[in-house]
C-alpha cells in the first residue's frame, strides 16, 4: 500500500479566506471557508482594501481550523498549495505569504496554484476525471472554456473578451436595484418570469469559443431606460428570465460545439455561476442524456471559492514535481496553462 | 531569546536576527522591489548566516505600521503565521520605531516621519528612557503643517528622522528654528534591530489577534461612514 498524500490548500484570491486538507487529491479531510460577503454588501461589491484587511485577520485562524478539523499536525502535511493568481493582488498576497511562512518554518514543499485550475479540480472531489475533458468555468471573474488532455494540462480554447458572466449578472442586478451579490436574485426572478423580451446573443466570429457579455448588459440597461422614458413598466421577472436565457443560451451552445469538436469524455462545470439554476437545468437537458459524455456539476459549496479545490489541483502539480520557492509572489494576471 | 525581526512597512526591507545580548545579523535593502519576492528568501539567508533554524526562534517581532498598507500586511502576515506555526509569541511594534535610533543619546524628543502624500505624514513623538523607547505622542496620520504647529507649542528640542524629512525641512525650520535637529543620511534608513529591541521589551499578545496598525480607515469605509453621517444630517 502506498502512503497517503496530504495537501494543505490555501485560498485568499478574493473575498473568502479558506484553508483545506485534501487526501490523495480526491478526498476532502477538512474544508474551512470564512466568507467576508457581509462586510462588502454595504459597498455593493468587493472592496479590495477591505478584503485584504479581513484576510490578515482570518488567515491563521482558518488554517488552524482546517488542521484541527482534519485532526492532523502541520508536520503531517506533504505540501502546501496556495492560490498565486489570478485575483486581487492584495488579497492573494496574504495567502501566498502565509503559505511561504509555514513552508519555511517546517521545510514543507510549496506549490503555487492557478485559481481556475482550482475551480476545475473541485470536480475531482466529486468524481475522478477522465481525459480528454472540457471544463466550462463561469464565475464573477471568469468565463472560460478549458480543454484538458491530461492532469495538470490546461488549454484555454475560449474566454470572455469583456465582462465575465457573473459580472454581467451583478451589473444587471444593480440596474434592477437588487442587492449584492446579484446573481442568485436574477436567477430567482428568472425562474418566475418568461423570456419574452428580445435580447442579443453575442456569437462572435464563426467558430469562435470566446464570449462577450457587455453588449447584452448594455441592452438590458437600455431596455429599462427606454421603457422608463416612455412611462412603461418592464416586468423585472421577465427581464431577468430573458437576460438569463441569453447568457445560458450562449454558454451552453458554445460548450456543446466544443464538446463535439474536441471529442471529450467529460464536461466539468466550475465556478460560482455553476450554482445558477437556469444554467444547471439547461446543461442537464442538453448533456444529461448525451451518449459518451459525462456531465459533472459540483455542489454549491465547491462551486464558490474554497481551498479544497486548490488542494486538489495542488496535489496533481505536487505529484508532477512542480515546486515554488520562497520568492513566490501574488500574480493577479496569471495565465492558465 | 532568539528573535527574528521583520520590517516591510515601507519602501525599504529590513530584517534582523538578534537576542538580548547582541544583534547577530542585520540587513537593510533600500531598493524598490516587491517585499513578497524578496523578504522570505532574505529571512532564509539570514537565519542560515546566523546558524539558526526557524525552530530555534523564540519570538518574532514585526513592524505593524503605519506605512504602506500592502507592505505592512506582508510583514504582519509572515510574522503572525511564522509565530503561530512555530508556536512562539509575536510582537507588533510601530514601524516608526525603526528610524528612532538616532535619538538614543539626544537630549530631547525624537520625531520619526513617513511621507503619507498630499501633505500628510505618519508620525509620532518619542523619547528614550534608559535606552528604552517611550511614546510621548501616539502615532498619527496628520497634515505635516498641523503637526508642526502642534510641535511648536512644546519647548523641548526635537530630532526629526527619516528620509522624508527632506520634503518638510524648510517648513519645520521656519516654525521651530534652532529647536529642530535633523538626522543624518545613515540614520534615515530603518534598522530592524531597533524594532527588535523595542519588541523584546514588550508583552506579546494573542498570535491570531495581531493585525496591522493602519491608523487610517480604508478609503471606501471612510466614504461610507461620511455618507451615513450626511444621511443623518439630511434626515
Ligand atoms: Zn473563483
Amino acid at each position: 500500500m502506498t502512503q497517503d498524500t496530504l495537501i494543505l490548500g490555501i485560498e485568499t484570491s478574493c473575498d473568502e479566506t479558506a484553508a483545506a486538507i485534501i487526501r490523495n487529491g480526491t478526498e476532502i479531510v477538512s474544508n474551512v471557508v470564512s466568507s467576508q460577503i457581509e462586510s462588502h454588501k454595504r459597498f455593493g461589491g468587493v472592496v479590495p482594501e477591505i478584503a485584504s484587511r479581513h484576510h490578515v485577520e482570518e488567515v491563521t485562524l482558518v488554517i488552524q481550523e482546517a488542521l484541527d478539523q482534519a485532526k492532523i499536525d502541520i508536520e503531517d502535511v506533504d505540501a502546501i498549495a496556495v492560490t498565486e493568481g489570478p485575483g486581487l493582488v492584495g488579497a492573494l498576497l496574504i495567502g501566498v505569504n502565509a503559505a511561504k511562512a509555514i513552508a519555511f518554518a517546517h521545510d514543507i514543499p510549496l506549490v503555487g496554484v492557478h485559481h481556475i485550475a482550482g475551480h476545475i479540480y473541485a470536480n475531482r472531489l466529486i468524481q475522478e476525471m477522465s481525459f480528454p475533458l472540457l471544463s466550462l468555468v463561469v464565475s464573477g471573474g471568469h468565463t472560460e472554456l478549458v480543454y484538458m488532455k491530461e492532469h495538470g494540462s490546461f488549454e484555454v480554447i475560449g474566454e470572455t473578451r469583456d465582462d465575465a458572466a457573473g459580472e454581467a449578472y451583478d451589473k444587471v442586478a444593480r440596474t434592477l436595484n437588487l442587492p449584492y451579490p446579484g446573481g442568485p436574485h436574477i436567477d430567482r426572478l428568472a425562474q418566475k418570469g418568461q423570456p419574452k423580451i428580445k435580447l442579443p446573443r453575442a456569437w462572435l466570429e464563426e467558430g469562435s469559443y470566446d464570449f462577450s457579455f457587455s453588449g447584452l448588459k448594455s441592452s438590458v440597461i437600455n431596455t429599462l431606460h427606454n421603457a422608463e422614458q416612455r412611462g412603461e413598466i418592464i416586468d423585472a421577472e421577465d427581464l431577468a428570465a430573458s437576460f438569463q436565457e441569453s447568457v445560458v443560451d450562449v454558454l451552453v451552445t458554445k460548450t456543446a460545439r466544443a464538446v463535439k469538436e474536441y471529442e471529450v469524455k467529460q464536461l466539468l462545470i466550475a465556478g460560482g455561476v455553476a450554482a445558477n439554476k437556469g444554467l444547471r437545468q439547461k446543461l442537464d437537458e442538453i448533456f444529461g442524456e448525451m451518449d459518451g459524455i459525462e456531465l459533472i456539476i459540483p455542489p454549491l459549496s465547491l462551486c464558490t471559492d474554497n481551498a479544497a479545490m486548490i488542494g486538489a489541483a495542488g496535489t496533481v502539480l505536487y505529484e508532477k514535481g512542480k515546486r515554488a520557492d520562497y520568492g513566490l509572489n501574488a500574480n493577479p494576471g496569471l495565465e492558465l496553462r | 531569546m532568539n528573535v527574528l525581526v521583520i520590517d516591510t512597512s515601507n519602501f525599504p526591507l529590513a530584517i534582523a536576527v538578534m537576542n538580548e545580548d547582541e544583534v547577530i545579523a542585520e540587513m537593510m535593502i533600500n531598493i524598490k522591489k516587491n517585499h513578497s519576492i524578496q523578504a522570505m528568501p532574505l529571512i532564509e539567508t539570514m537565519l542560515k548566516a546566523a546558524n539558526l533554524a526557524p525552530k530555534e526562534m523564540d519570538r518574532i517581532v514585526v513592524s505593524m505600521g503605519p506605512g504602506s498598507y500592502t507592505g505592512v500586511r506582508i510583514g504582519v502576515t509572515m510574522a503572525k503565521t511564522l509565530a503561530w506555526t512555530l508556536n512562539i509569541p509575536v510582537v507588533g511594534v510601530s514601524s516608526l520605531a525603526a528610524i528612532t535610533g538616532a535619538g538614543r543619546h539626544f537630549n530631547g524628543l525624537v520625531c520619526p516621519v513617513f511621507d503619507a502624500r498630499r501633505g500628510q505624514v505618519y508620525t509620532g513623538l518619542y523619547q528614550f528612557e534608559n535606552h528604552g523607547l517611550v511614546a510621548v505622542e501616539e502615532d498619527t496620520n496628520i497634515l505635516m503643517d498641523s503637526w508642526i504647529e502642534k510641535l511648536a507649542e512644546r519647548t523641548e528640542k526635537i530630532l526629526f528622522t527619516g528620509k522624508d524629512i527632506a520634503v518638510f525641512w524648510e517648513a519645520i525650520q521656519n516654525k521651530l528654528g534652532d529647536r529642530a535637529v535633523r538626522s543624518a543620511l545613515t540614520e534615515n534608513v530603518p534598522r530592524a534591530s531597533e524594532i527588535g529591541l523595542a519588541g523584546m521589551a514588550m508583552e506579546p499578545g494573542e498570535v491570531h489577534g495581531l493585525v496591522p496598525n493602519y491608523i487610517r480607515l480604508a478609503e471606501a469605509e471612510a466614504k461610507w461612514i461620511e455618507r451615513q453621517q450626511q444621511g443623518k444630517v439630511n434626515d
Side-chain angles (χ1 to χ4, degrees):
Chain A
M1 213 186 107
T2 52
Q3 246 206 319
D4 282 345
T5 303
L6 282 177
I7 304 285
L8 165 63
I10 299 174
E11 151 69 37
T12 65
S13 70
C14 190
D15 60 343
E16 328 269 6
T17 319
I21 301 291
I22 299 301
R23 183 181 287 125
N24 299 329
T26 54
E27 185 194 333
I28 298 174
V29 186
S30 67
N31 185 18
V32 179
V33 180
S34 163
S35 176
Q36 311 172 358
I37 198 148
E38 288 305 322
S39 28
H40 294 284
K41 261 184 181 162
R42 60 190 162 133
F43 304 113
V46 176
V47 179
E49 174 61 23
I50 289 170
S52 306
R53 290 186 178 198
H54 280 294
H55 286 308
V56 183
E57 290 164 17
E58 293 293 313
V59 68
T60 51
L61 284 166
V62 166
I63 300 169
Q64 166 103 63
E65 182 67 23
L67 292 169
D68 287 352
Q69 283 186 17
K71 297 191 177 65
I72 61 165
D73 190 80
I74 188 68
E75 303 273 357
D76 301 327
V77 162
D78 292 284
I80 301 169
V82 63
T83 310
E84 59 173 316
L88 303 170
V89 63
L92 288 163
L93 277 170
I94 307 308
V96 164
N97 282 286
K100 289 199 289 188
I102 302 170
F104 172 63
H106 303 280
D107 199 15
I108 299 172
L110 180 68
V111 184
V113 176
H114 192 287
H115 183 76
I116 295 303
H119 272 302
I120 295 171
Y121 269 87
N123 286 279
R124 201 181 176 212
L125 299 166
I126 305 303
Q127 171 79 36
E128 185 55 274
M129 291 168 156
S130 52
F131 300 97
L133 64 78
L134 185 75
S135 183
L136 170 66
V137 185
V138 266
S139 72
H142 301 272
T143 309
E144 280 161 37
L145 275 169
V146 181
Y147 173 75
M148 291 180 70
K149 64 176 188 319
E150 61 187 17
H151 273 305
S153 148
F154 308 92
E155 188 192 334
V156 178
I157 62 165
E159 62 194 324
T160 184
R161 294 183 184 171
D162 39 61
D163 293 349
E167 220 175 331
Y169 266 90
D170 284 342
K171 286 177 183 169
V172 166
R174 215 171 299 161
T175 317
L176 290 172
N177 290 319
L178 298 169
Y180 170 86
H185 292 283
I186 300 262
D187 192 19
R188 183 175 46 77
L189 287 181
Q191 300 295 320
K192 295 182 200 154
Q194 290 300 318
K196 287 191 276 204
I197 301 157
K198 219 176 129 52
L199 292 172
R201 281 145 175 72
W203 299 112
L204 307 175
E205 318 82 69
E206 171 107 33
S208 172
Y209 289 118
D210 281 352
F211 303 96
S212 165
F213 296 106
S214 73
L216 172 62
K217 174 198 68 194
S218 307
S219 181
V220 170
I221 295 170
N222 288 340
T223 304
L224 273 168
H225 261 270
N226 293 343
E228 213 168 88
Q229 276 174 353
R230 288 197 301 264
E232 295 168 14
I233 291 175
I234 296 246
D235 185 84
E237 291 175 353
D238 288 347
L239 188 63
S242 309
F243 166 76
Q244 176 137 311
E245 191 190 58
S246 173
V247 173
V248 169
D249 191 12
V250 174
L251 287 175
V252 173
T253 306
K254 292 207 178 213
T255 303
R257 190 150 50 75
V259 160
K260 286 203 189 86
E261 187 186 328
Y262 285 85
E263 296 177 344
V264 294
K265 293 182 183 151
Q266 283 180 334
L267 171 61
L268 314 183
I269 311 303
V273 182
N276 183 284
K277 282 203 194 72
L279 180 61
R280 280 179 182 245
Q281 280 158 12
K282 188 81 178 171
L283 287 165
D284 264 333
E285 190 184 309
I286 303 286
F287 301 102
E289 302 295 311
M290 198 182 271
D291 272 348
I293 175 125
E294 187 181 12
L295 171 69
I296 306 168
I297 310 179
L300 179 57
S301 63
L302 291 176
C303 287
T304 50
D305 288 352
N306 63 82
M309 67 187 203
I310 302 303
T315 307
V316 166
L317 300 174
Y318 168 69
E319 284 167 347
K320 286 192 152 211
K322 187 186 168 184
R323 297 290 181 274
D325 60 25
Y326 298 137
L328 182 69
N329 194 14
N331 190 343
L334 187 66
E335 302 247 358
L336 181 63
R337 55 176 144 235
Chain B
M1 173 159 55
N2 290 326
V3 181
L4 170 66
V5 193
I6 305 168
D7 178 12
T8 60
S9 61
N10 285 282
F11 188 99
L13 167 65
I15 307 287
V17 183
M18 62 196 293
N19 58 39
E20 298 95 326
D21 303 320
E22 60 183 345
V23 178
I24 304 165
E26 178 158 22
M27 180 112 163
M28 190 283 304
I29 299 171
N30 195 10
I31 296 279
K32 180 72 191 170
K33 208 179 166 195
N34 194 312
H35 289 320
S36 182
I37 295 172
Q38 201 163 234
M40 195 56 87
L42 185 60
I43 291 171
E44 184 188 26
T45 303
M46 290 186 56
L47 283 186
K48 253 185 204 148
N51 257 325
L52 287 164
K55 281 169 196 168
E56 291 175 273
M57 290 295 111
D58 300 299
R59 176 176 289 205
I60 312 283
V61 178
V62 64
S63 64
M64 65 188 302
S68 139
Y69 294 166
T70 301
V72 169
R73 270 196 290 270
I74 290 172
V76 167
T77 301
M78 287 192 303
K80 79 189 279 192
T81 311
L82 279 170
W84 161 72
T85 200
L86 292 168
N87 201 16
I88 56 175
V90 63
V91 175
V93 176
S94 165
S95 14
L96 289 161
I99 50 168
T100 54
R104 183 160 281 109
H105 307 286
F106 178 73
N107 190 13
L109 305 175
V110 192
C111 177
V113 173
F114 296 143
D115 193 348
R117 285 186 288 255
R118 280 175 265 156
Q120 295 189 54
V121 292
Y122 290 119
T123 188
L125 206 52
Y126 290 87
Q127 194 169 17
F128 278 93
E129 282 171 16
N130 305 323
H131 289 202
L133 192 61
V134 179
V136 178
E137 291 269 357
E138 227 174 273
D139 291 357
T140 178
N141 174 222
I142 189 171
L143 276 169
M144 189 58 177
D145 287 342
S146 319
W147 181 243
I148 296 170
E149 292 287 343
K150 228 177 143 173
L151 296 180
E153 291 163 13
R154 307 188 71 103
T155 54
E156 302 96 327
K157 280 190 130 191
I158 300 174
L159 171 66
F160 291 85
T161 64
K163 73 165 178 37
D164 298 333
I165 285 303
V167 184
F168 306 105
W169 186 237
E170 225 185 280
I172 294 169
Q173 271 197 314
N174 282 343
K175 272 280 172 198
L176 302 184
D178 286 349
R179 281 209 294 121
V181 183
R182 183 180 173 180
S183 61
L185 179 81
T186 47
E187 297 161 330
N188 284 337
V189 289
R191 293 283 309 271
S193 53
E194 290 292 354
I195 302 260
L197 196 59
M200 277 192 285
M202 286 163 65
E203 207 48 56
E206 201 253 339
V207 174
H208 295 299
L210 180 71
V211 290
N213 178 21
Y214 302 102
I215 297 192
R216 282 204 279 220
L217 288 174
E219 210 181 323
E221 181 135 41
K223 282 189 177 151
W224 184 82
I225 291 170
E226 210 175 283
R227 273 201 307 277
Q228 300 300 303
Q229 283 163 350
Q230 276 168 2
K232 270 187 201 134
V233 171
N234 293 342
D235 278 348

